[in-house]
C-alpha cells in the first residue's frame, strides 16, 4: 500500500494537475485551489475599476481617491474581486482606454492583494494590424494574418505581449510575491464586436491564437502568476460554449459574460438564461476540475430597485460560482453598481447581508493566497 502512495505522488504531476502553468507560483496555485471550492460557501462579488473611480450622490464623478470605492461607501468594505483593463498598454500610453493610469492600476492591485482580494484583468487592445483602429474597429482577418506566414506573430509578441508581460512582472507585493492575476484575454469572442470575434477567425484560428499567447507569456516571458479565464458572451449550448475552447491545458477558469438588457420586460428571461449558462459552466467545471465564474454582467444604471436580490441571487443559487463581476461605474449614464443614494442601494445591502455573496472581509478570511495561516 505504501508503494502505491509513493507511486501516486510521483505520478500526480502528470495527471493530477488541472492548472495551465505547472510553474505557477505558490500564491497562484493556492488561489486556483480556493476558487474551486469557495463557491460552495459563497460567491465573491466583483466590480470593474471599483477603487479607481465612481459616482457621487449628485451623479458627478469622483476619480482616484485613496481607499474609496462605491461599494465601500455603501457597505463599508470593498469588492472581493476587482477588475482592471490593460487596453492601450500596447500603445505605450500612460493611461488605459478609460483614462486610468497604468501606475494607478498597479498601485490599486497591490492594495487589493494586501487586503486579500482577487484581481482580474481584461484587455481591450487596439487592432494590432493597425493600431489607429480601436478594439471595436475591425480590420478583417486580423488573427488569420497574425498567424499566417511572415513575421506577424513575432511583431505581435513585441508590440503587445511583451508589454503585457512587463506589466505583469511589475506586480510585486511588499513581501516579494508576484501578485496572482486572473487574466481574461480575447473575451466575448462568440460575438463579433472585437477584432478577435467569431466572424473574423475560425474556431481553430482562435484556439491557436489563444494557445500561442498563453505559451508565450508563461514559457517565454516566464510570467508564472496568471490564471487564464476563458469567457464567451451569451451561448446557446454546451457545444457552442466549447466551439472555440482552446483546451484544458490552456484554460484555468470557465466563464461567460452576459448583460441584462430591456428590464423589466426581460427579467424572467434573463434569470432563466443566465442560470442555464451558469449551469453549463458549472457542469464543465466539475467535469474538468476547474473553477467557474460569471465573469461579466450587469444592468446598466441598475434600473431595477431590487436587481440584486430579485435577479442576481436567484441566478447564483445552487450554481456555486467562484465569483461574479459587474462592470464599471463610469458615467451617470453608464454604471453597474450602486453609489450612495442610487435607488438599488438598500437592495444591494440586503444581498451583502444574505451571506451568499462575499466581499473583502470574507475573501480575507478565506485566505485565498494562503498567507495568513
Ligand atoms: C465597455 C464600456 C466602455 C469601455 C470598455 C472597456 O463596456 O464600459 O466605455 O471603454 O468597456 O472598459
Amino acid at each position: 500500500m505504501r508503494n502505491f502512495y509513493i507511486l501516486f505522488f510521483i505520478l500526480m504531476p502528470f495527471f493530477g494537475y488541472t492548472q495551465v502553468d505547472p510553474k505557477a507560483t505558490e500564491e497562484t496555485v493556492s488561489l486556483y485551489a480556493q476558487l474551486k471550492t469557495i463557491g460552495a460557501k459563497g460567491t465573491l462579488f466583483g466590480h470593474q475599476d471599483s477603487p479607481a473611480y465612481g459616482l457621487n450622490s449628485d451623479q458627478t464623478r469622483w476619480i482616484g481617491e485613496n481607499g474609496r470605492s462605491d461599494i465601500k461607501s455603501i457597505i463599508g468594505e470593498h469588492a472581493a474581486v476587482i477588475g482592471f483593463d490593460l487596453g492601450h498598454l500596447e500603445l505605450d500610453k500612460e493611461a488605459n482606454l478609460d483614462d486610468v493610469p497604468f501606475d494607478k492600476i498597479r498601485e490599486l492591485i497591490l492594495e487589493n492583494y494586501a487586503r486579500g482580494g482577487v484581481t482580474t484583468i481584461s484587455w481591450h487592445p487596439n487592432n494590432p494590424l493597425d493600431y489607429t483602429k480601436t478594439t471595436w474597429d475591425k480590420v478583417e482577418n486580423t488573427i488569420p494574418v497574425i498567424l499566417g506566414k511572415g513575421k506577424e506573430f513575432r511583431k505581435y509578441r513585441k508590440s503587445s505581449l511583451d508589454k503585457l508581460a512587463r506589466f505583469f512582472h511589475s506586480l510585486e507585493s511588499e513581501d516579494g510575491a508576484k501578485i496572482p492575476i486572473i487574466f481574461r484575454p480575447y473575451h466575448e469572442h462568440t460575438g463579433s464586436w472585437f477584432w478577435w470575434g467569431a466572424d473574423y477567425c475560425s474556431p481553430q484560428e482562435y484556439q491557436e491564437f489563444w494557445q500561442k499567447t498563453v505559451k508565450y507569456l508563461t514559457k517565454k516571458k516566464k510570467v508564472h502568476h496568471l490564471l487564464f479565464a476563458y469567457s464567451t458572451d451569451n451561448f446557446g449550448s454546451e457545444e457552442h460554449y466549447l466551439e472555440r475552447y482552446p483546451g484544458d491545458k490552456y484554460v484555468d477558469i470557465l466563464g461567460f459574460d452576459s448583460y441584462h438588457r430591456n428590464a423589466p420586460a426581460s427579467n424572467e428571461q434573463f434569470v432563466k438564461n443566465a442560470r442555464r449558462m451558469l449551469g453549463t459552466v458549472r457542469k464543465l467545471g466539475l467535469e474538468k476540475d476547474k473553477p467557474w465564474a460569471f465573469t461579466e454582467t450587469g444592468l446598466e444604471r441598475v434600473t431595477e430597485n431590487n436587481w440584486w436580490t430579485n435577479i442576481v441571487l436567484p441566478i447564483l443559487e445552487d450554481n456555486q460560482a467562484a465569483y461574479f463581476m459587474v462592470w464599471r461605474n463610469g458615467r451617470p449614464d453608464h454604471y453597474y453598481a450602486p453609489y450612495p443614494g442610487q435607488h438599488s442601494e438598500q437592495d444591494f445591502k440586503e444581498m451583502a447581508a444574505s451571506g451568499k455573496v462575499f466581499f473583502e472581509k470574507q475573501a480575507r478570511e478565506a485566505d485565498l493566497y494562503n498567507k495568513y495561516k
Side-chain angles (χ1 to χ4, degrees), residues 66 102-112 171:
N66 274 350
F102 291 109
D103 285 345
K104 188 73 190 173
I105 293 179
R106 180 182 305 104
E107 190 185 307
L108 295 172
I109 291 175
L110 258 66
E111 286 176 14
N112 186 32
L171 300 175

mmCIF file with all atom_site columns, all heavy atoms in Angstrom, residues 66 102-112 171:
data_model
loop_
_atom_site.group_PDB
_atom_site.id
_atom_site.type_symbol
_atom_site.label_atom_id
_atom_site.label_alt_id
_atom_site.label_comp_id
_atom_site.label_asym_id
_atom_site.label_entity_id
_atom_site.label_seq_id
_atom_site.pdbx_PDB_ins_code
_atom_site.Cartn_x
_atom_site.Cartn_y
_atom_site.Cartn_z
_atom_site.occupancy
_atom_site.B_iso_or_equiv
_atom_site.pdbx_formal_charge
_atom_site.auth_seq_id
_atom_site.auth_comp_id
_atom_site.auth_asym_id
_atom_site.auth_atom_id
_atom_site.pdbx_PDB_model_num
ATOM 1   N N   . ASN A 1 66  ? -7.973 57.930 -2.487  1.00 0.00 ? 66  ASN A N   1
ATOM 2   C CA  . ASN A 1 66  ? -7.406 56.826 -1.702  1.00 0.00 ? 66  ASN A CA  1
ATOM 3   C C   . ASN A 1 66  ? -8.415 56.036 -0.881  1.00 0.00 ? 66  ASN A C   1
ATOM 4   O O   . ASN A 1 66  ? -9.140 56.599 -0.083  1.00 0.00 ? 66  ASN A O   1
ATOM 5   C CB  . ASN A 1 66  ? -6.353 57.372 -0.724  1.00 0.00 ? 66  ASN A CB  1
ATOM 6   C CG  . ASN A 1 66  ? -5.011 57.455 -1.409  1.00 0.00 ? 66  ASN A CG  1
ATOM 7   O OD1 . ASN A 1 66  ? -4.851 56.937 -2.522  1.00 0.00 ? 66  ASN A OD1 1
ATOM 8   N ND2 . ASN A 1 66  ? -4.054 58.111 -0.770  1.00 0.00 ? 66  ASN A ND2 1
ATOM 9   N N   . PHE A 1 102 ? -1.780 53.493 -15.822 1.00 0.00 ? 102 PHE A N   1
ATOM 10  C CA  . PHE A 1 102 ? -1.309 52.134 -15.519 1.00 0.00 ? 102 PHE A CA  1
ATOM 11  C C   . PHE A 1 102 ? -0.597 52.076 -14.159 1.00 0.00 ? 102 PHE A C   1
ATOM 12  O O   . PHE A 1 102 ? -0.675 51.065 -13.464 1.00 0.00 ? 102 PHE A O   1
ATOM 13  C CB  . PHE A 1 102 ? -0.410 51.608 -16.643 1.00 0.00 ? 102 PHE A CB  1
ATOM 14  C CG  . PHE A 1 102 ? -1.197 51.356 -17.904 1.00 0.00 ? 102 PHE A CG  1
ATOM 15  C CD1 . PHE A 1 102 ? -1.035 52.183 -19.012 1.00 0.00 ? 102 PHE A CD1 1
ATOM 16  C CD2 . PHE A 1 102 ? -2.141 50.342 -17.963 1.00 0.00 ? 102 PHE A CD2 1
ATOM 17  C CE1 . PHE A 1 102 ? -1.794 51.973 -20.166 1.00 0.00 ? 102 PHE A CE1 1
ATOM 18  C CE2 . PHE A 1 102 ? -2.900 50.123 -19.104 1.00 0.00 ? 102 PHE A CE2 1
ATOM 19  C CZ  . PHE A 1 102 ? -2.724 50.939 -20.201 1.00 0.00 ? 102 PHE A CZ  1
ATOM 20  N N   . ASP A 1 103 ? 0.086  53.173 -13.802 1.00 0.00 ? 103 ASP A N   1
ATOM 21  C CA  . ASP A 1 103 ? 0.731  53.188 -12.480 1.00 0.00 ? 103 ASP A CA  1
ATOM 22  C C   . ASP A 1 103 ? -0.306 53.114 -11.364 1.00 0.00 ? 103 ASP A C   1
ATOM 23  O O   . ASP A 1 103 ? -0.081 52.509 -10.325 1.00 0.00 ? 103 ASP A O   1
ATOM 24  C CB  . ASP A 1 103 ? 1.577  54.462 -12.300 1.00 0.00 ? 103 ASP A CB  1
ATOM 25  C CG  . ASP A 1 103 ? 2.869  54.373 -13.096 1.00 0.00 ? 103 ASP A CG  1
ATOM 26  O OD1 . ASP A 1 103 ? 3.230  53.251 -13.535 1.00 0.00 ? 103 ASP A OD1 1
ATOM 27  O OD2 . ASP A 1 103 ? 3.511  55.417 -13.297 1.00 0.00 ? 103 ASP A OD2 1
ATOM 28  N N   . LYS A 1 104 ? -1.431 53.764 -11.617 1.00 0.00 ? 104 LYS A N   1
ATOM 29  C CA  . LYS A 1 104 ? -2.525 53.729 -10.629 1.00 0.00 ? 104 LYS A CA  1
ATOM 30  C C   . LYS A 1 104 ? -3.097 52.304 -10.538 1.00 0.00 ? 104 LYS A C   1
ATOM 31  O O   . LYS A 1 104 ? -3.357 51.790 -9.448  1.00 0.00 ? 104 LYS A O   1
ATOM 32  C CB  . LYS A 1 104 ? -3.628 54.708 -11.062 1.00 0.00 ? 104 LYS A CB  1
ATOM 33  C CG  . LYS A 1 104 ? -4.705 54.904 -10.059 1.00 0.00 ? 104 LYS A CG  1
ATOM 34  C CD  . LYS A 1 104 ? -4.194 55.734 -8.888  1.00 0.00 ? 104 LYS A CD  1
ATOM 35  C CE  . LYS A 1 104 ? -5.146 55.763 -7.726  1.00 0.00 ? 104 LYS A CE  1
ATOM 36  N NZ  . LYS A 1 104 ? -4.550 56.435 -6.560  1.00 0.00 ? 104 LYS A NZ  1
ATOM 37  N N   . ILE A 1 105 ? -3.272 51.686 -11.703 1.00 0.00 ? 105 ILE A N   1
ATOM 38  C CA  . ILE A 1 105 ? -3.799 50.312 -11.725 1.00 0.00 ? 105 ILE A CA  1
ATOM 39  C C   . ILE A 1 105 ? -2.886 49.411 -10.892 1.00 0.00 ? 105 ILE A C   1
ATOM 40  O O   . ILE A 1 105 ? -3.345 48.624 -10.061 1.00 0.00 ? 105 ILE A O   1
ATOM 41  C CB  . ILE A 1 105 ? -3.930 49.792 -13.181 1.00 0.00 ? 105 ILE A CB  1
ATOM 42  C CG1 . ILE A 1 105 ? -5.010 50.593 -13.923 1.00 0.00 ? 105 ILE A CG1 1
ATOM 43  C CG2 . ILE A 1 105 ? -4.237 48.297 -13.208 1.00 0.00 ? 105 ILE A CG2 1
ATOM 44  C CD1 . ILE A 1 105 ? -5.212 50.189 -15.377 1.00 0.00 ? 105 ILE A CD1 1
ATOM 45  N N   . ARG A 1 106 ? -1.575 49.565 -11.118 1.00 0.00 ? 106 ARG A N   1
ATOM 46  C CA  . ARG A 1 106 ? -0.617 48.727 -10.370 1.00 0.00 ? 106 ARG A CA  1
ATOM 47  C C   . ARG A 1 106 ? -0.779 48.954 -8.863  1.00 0.00 ? 106 ARG A C   1
ATOM 48  O O   . ARG A 1 106 ? -0.865 48.013 -8.075  1.00 0.00 ? 106 ARG A O   1
ATOM 49  C CB  . ARG A 1 106 ? 0.810  49.038 -10.814 1.00 0.00 ? 106 ARG A CB  1
ATOM 50  C CG  . ARG A 1 106 ? 1.862  48.193 -10.084 1.00 0.00 ? 106 ARG A CG  1
ATOM 51  C CD  . ARG A 1 106 ? 3.287  48.524 -10.482 1.00 0.00 ? 106 ARG A CD  1
ATOM 52  N NE  . ARG A 1 106 ? 3.491  48.437 -11.908 1.00 0.00 ? 106 ARG A NE  1
ATOM 53  C CZ  . ARG A 1 106 ? 3.587  49.481 -12.733 1.00 0.00 ? 106 ARG A CZ  1
ATOM 54  N NH1 . ARG A 1 106 ? 3.506  50.718 -12.260 1.00 0.00 ? 106 ARG A NH1 1
ATOM 55  N NH2 . ARG A 1 106 ? 3.770  49.314 -14.021 1.00 0.00 ? 106 ARG A NH2 1
ATOM 56  N N   . GLU A 1 107 ? -0.828 50.234 -8.475  1.00 0.00 ? 107 GLU A N   1
ATOM 57  C CA  . GLU A 1 107 ? -0.963 50.585 -7.058  1.00 0.00 ? 107 GLU A CA  1
ATOM 58  C C   . GLU A 1 107 ? -2.248 49.964 -6.457  1.00 0.00 ? 107 GLU A C   1
ATOM 59  O O   . GLU A 1 107 ? -2.227 49.400 -5.367  1.00 0.00 ? 107 GLU A O   1
ATOM 60  C CB  . GLU A 1 107 ? -1.050 52.108 -7.016  1.00 0.00 ? 107 GLU A CB  1
ATOM 61  C CG  . GLU A 1 107 ? -0.957 52.777 -5.688  1.00 0.00 ? 107 GLU A CG  1
ATOM 62  C CD  . GLU A 1 107 ? -1.201 54.296 -5.898  1.00 0.00 ? 107 GLU A CD  1
ATOM 63  O OE1 . GLU A 1 107 ? -0.524 54.920 -6.741  1.00 0.00 ? 107 GLU A OE1 1
ATOM 64  O OE2 . GLU A 1 107 ? -2.110 54.825 -5.224  1.00 0.00 ? 107 GLU A OE2 1
ATOM 65  N N   . LEU A 1 108 ? -3.330 50.044 -7.208  1.00 0.00 ? 108 LEU A N   1
ATOM 66  C CA  . LEU A 1 108 ? -4.613 49.520 -6.708  1.00 0.00 ? 108 LEU A CA  1
ATOM 67  C C   . LEU A 1 108 ? -4.614 47.995 -6.631  1.00 0.00 ? 108 LEU A C   1
ATOM 68  O O   . LEU A 1 108 ? -5.255 47.403 -5.766  1.00 0.00 ? 108 LEU A O   1
ATOM 69  C CB  . LEU A 1 108 ? -5.769 50.020 -7.583  1.00 0.00 ? 108 LEU A CB  1
ATOM 70  C CG  . LEU A 1 108 ? -6.002 51.545 -7.540  1.00 0.00 ? 108 LEU A CG  1
ATOM 71  C CD1 . LEU A 1 108 ? -7.042 51.963 -8.576  1.00 0.00 ? 108 LEU A CD1 1
ATOM 72  C CD2 . LEU A 1 108 ? -6.417 51.991 -6.141  1.00 0.00 ? 108 LEU A CD2 1
ATOM 73  N N   . ILE A 1 109 ? -3.864 47.360 -7.541  1.00 0.00 ? 109 ILE A N   1
ATOM 74  C CA  . ILE A 1 109 ? -3.754 45.894 -7.500  1.00 0.00 ? 109 ILE A CA  1
ATOM 75  C C   . ILE A 1 109 ? -2.960 45.484 -6.251  1.00 0.00 ? 109 ILE A C   1
ATOM 76  O O   . ILE A 1 109 ? -3.317 44.529 -5.550  1.00 0.00 ? 109 ILE A O   1
ATOM 77  C CB  . ILE A 1 109 ? -3.097 45.352 -8.791  1.00 0.00 ? 109 ILE A CB  1
ATOM 78  C CG1 . ILE A 1 109 ? -4.047 45.542 -9.981  1.00 0.00 ? 109 ILE A CG1 1
ATOM 79  C CG2 . ILE A 1 109 ? -2.703 43.885 -8.638  1.00 0.00 ? 109 ILE A CG2 1
ATOM 80  C CD1 . ILE A 1 109 ? -3.462 45.162 -11.334 1.00 0.00 ? 109 ILE A CD1 1
ATOM 81  N N   . LEU A 1 110 ? -1.896 46.229 -5.970  1.00 0.00 ? 110 LEU A N   1
ATOM 82  C CA  . LEU A 1 110 ? -1.099 45.930 -4.780  1.00 0.00 ? 110 LEU A CA  1
ATOM 83  C C   . LEU A 1 110 ? -1.960 46.071 -3.517  1.00 0.00 ? 110 LEU A C   1
ATOM 84  O O   . LEU A 1 110 ? -1.918 45.226 -2.620  1.00 0.00 ? 110 LEU A O   1
ATOM 85  C CB  . LEU A 1 110 ? 0.106  46.894 -4.689  1.00 0.00 ? 110 LEU A CB  1
ATOM 86  C CG  . LEU A 1 110 ? 1.446  46.320 -5.130  1.00 0.00 ? 110 LEU A CG  1
ATOM 87  C CD1 . LEU A 1 110 ? 1.471  46.008 -6.622  1.00 0.00 ? 110 LEU A CD1 1
ATOM 88  C CD2 . LEU A 1 110 ? 2.584  47.286 -4.819  1.00 0.00 ? 110 LEU A CD2 1
ATOM 89  N N   . GLU A 1 111 ? -2.751 47.135 -3.468  1.00 0.00 ? 111 GLU A N   1
ATOM 90  C CA  . GLU A 1 111 ? -3.618 47.346 -2.296  1.00 0.00 ? 111 GLU A CA  1
ATOM 91  C C   . GLU A 1 111 ? -4.651 46.230 -2.179  1.00 0.00 ? 111 GLU A C   1
ATOM 92  O O   . GLU A 1 111 ? -4.941 45.745 -1.086  1.00 0.00 ? 111 GLU A O   1
ATOM 93  C CB  . GLU A 1 111 ? -4.345 48.694 -2.414  1.00 0.00 ? 111 GLU A CB  1
ATOM 94  C CG  . GLU A 1 111 ? -3.441 49.880 -2.149  1.00 0.00 ? 111 GLU A CG  1
ATOM 95  C CD  . GLU A 1 111 ? -4.151 51.220 -2.367  1.00 0.00 ? 111 GLU A CD  1
ATOM 96  O OE1 . GLU A 1 111 ? -5.400 51.247 -2.462  1.00 0.00 ? 111 GLU A OE1 1
ATOM 97  O OE2 . GLU A 1 111 ? -3.445 52.233 -2.461  1.00 0.00 ? 111 GLU A OE2 1
ATOM 98  N N   . ASN A 1 112 ? -5.208 45.854 -3.300  1.00 0.00 ? 112 ASN A N   1
ATOM 99  C CA  . ASN A 1 112 ? -6.220 44.791 -3.295  1.00 0.00 ? 112 ASN A CA  1
ATOM 100 C C   . ASN A 1 112 ? -5.627 43.475 -2.781  1.00 0.00 ? 112 ASN A C   1
ATOM 101 O O   . ASN A 1 112 ? -6.226 42.783 -1.960  1.00 0.00 ? 112 ASN A O   1
ATOM 102 C CB  . ASN A 1 112 ? -6.790 44.632 -4.715  1.00 0.00 ? 112 ASN A CB  1
ATOM 103 C CG  . ASN A 1 112 ? -7.955 43.656 -4.778  1.00 0.00 ? 112 ASN A CG  1
ATOM 104 O OD1 . ASN A 1 112 ? -8.730 43.533 -3.831  1.00 0.00 ? 112 ASN A OD1 1
ATOM 105 N ND2 . ASN A 1 112 ? -8.083 42.953 -5.893  1.00 0.00 ? 112 ASN A ND2 1
ATOM 106 N N   . LEU A 1 171 ? 4.013  43.524 -11.026 1.00 0.00 ? 171 LEU A N   1
ATOM 107 C CA  . LEU A 1 171 ? 3.031  43.408 -9.939  1.00 0.00 ? 171 LEU A CA  1
ATOM 108 C C   . LEU A 1 171 ? 3.616  42.592 -8.795  1.00 0.00 ? 171 LEU A C   1
ATOM 109 O O   . LEU A 1 171 ? 3.348  41.401 -8.652  1.00 0.00 ? 171 LEU A O   1
ATOM 110 C CB  . LEU A 1 171 ? 1.748  42.748 -10.456 1.00 0.00 ? 171 LEU A CB  1
ATOM 111 C CG  . LEU A 1 171 ? 1.049  43.487 -11.595 1.00 0.00 ? 171 LEU A CG  1
ATOM 112 C CD1 . LEU A 1 171 ? -0.131 42.682 -12.113 1.00 0.00 ? 171 LEU A CD1 1
ATOM 113 C CD2 . LEU A 1 171 ? 0.595  44.876 -11.134 1.00 0.00 ? 171 LEU A CD2 1
#
